[in-house]
Amino acid sequence: MDYLVVYTSNTGNTQKVAMKIFETLPGKSKDIVSLEELHGEEADTYFVGFWNNRGTCKTEVLDLLSDLHGKRVALFGTCGLSGNKEYFKQVEKQVSVFLPDDNEYLGCFMCGGKMAPQILEKYRQMQAIHDTPQIRAMISAYEDGMLHPNEQDFKDAEEFVKSVLRE
């Protein structure tokens, strides 16, 4: 198989981006599967998707990356802190370090995503105790995340795939 899109999704955001990436990949020698349903499928090129959790991803994603050898690998992910390119770079660095050196790393695409409602509830509880600019910024980021992934994010994901394939 030429391409395999493997993803894990907590709230559906990463799954939506995974579908766009899969649609963008050329040809018929491709597949898409959730990490939880991965059973030995192999490909030359992997697109591995994850949802960001405190600057990294699930251990299962890191395990998958660590087990890949001699492959071309691109990462993609969603994050509640949309629009923060510097933070996206930090997440990429935290995750990509688990990819063994015998792989060809193709880069990473990150975009914003909705967060679970209980996160907003936690932020509101914190705000009720001590209303700070940092907590207000976290609530604002949550609200902005509710608008993602959006059409621009999907176009950017499509462009990322096309740029990876041109190299």
Side-chain angles (χ1 to χ4, degrees), residues 5-164:
V5 179
V6 181
Y7 68 91
T8 183
S9 191
N10 189 41
T11 57
N13 301 318
T14 310
Q15 181 179 20
K16 291 174 186 174
V17 176
M19 292 302 295
K20 176 48 83 176
I21 287 173
F22 178 75
E23 291 169 11
T24 306
L25 291 169
K28 295 183 181 179
S29 181
K30 61 183 180 178
D31 201 0
I32 182 171
V33 63
S34 72
L35 179 62
E36 296 76 17
E37 297 173 350
L38 183 65
H39 297 293
E41 294 88 342
E42 291 265 338
D44 298 326
T45 303
Y46 285 73
F47 285 81
V48 179
F50 59 91
W51 49 277
N52 173 56
N53 183 20
R54 297 181 181 174
T56 189
C57 59
K58 290 175 59 168
T59 303
E60 294 83 354
V61 174
L62 301 177
D63 290 344
L64 170 66
L65 294 175
S66 297
D67 289 342
L68 293 176
H69 294 281
K71 306 295 182 181
R72 300 177 74 222
V73 181
L75 300 175
F76 66 96
T78 56
C79 176
L81 294 174
S82 59
N84 188 333
K85 302 294 184 201
E86 199 54 45
Y87 184 66
F88 287 173
K89 285 285 184 198
Q90 289 174 8
V91 172
E92 175 185 7
K93 185 176 179 183
Q94 291 282 76
V95 175
S96 65
V97 72
F98 284 86
L99 192 62
D101 290 338
D102 64 337
N103 292 290
E104 180 184 351
Y105 180 58
L106 303 173
C108 182
F109 169 76
M110 296 285 297
C111 70
K114 298 170 188 71
M115 291 184 264
Q118 53 269 40
I119 293 174
L120 179 60
E121 180 61 29
K122 182 177 93 174
Y123 292 167
R124 295 279 187 216
Q125 290 172 358
M126 291 165 55
Q127 186 179 36
I129 294 168
H130 192 67
D131 188 13
T132 66
Q134 180 183 7
I135 292 172
R136 287 192 298 274
M138 291 162 52
I139 291 170
S140 178
Y142 178 95
E143 291 168 345
D144 184 54
M146 294 305 288
L147 305 173
H148 295 273
N150 60 27
E151 286 306 311
Q152 186 60 55
D153 296 326
F154 295 132
K155 287 177 186 172
D156 292 345
E158 184 176 348
E159 194 52 46
F160 171 71
V161 171
K162 290 177 180 177
S163 72
V164 162

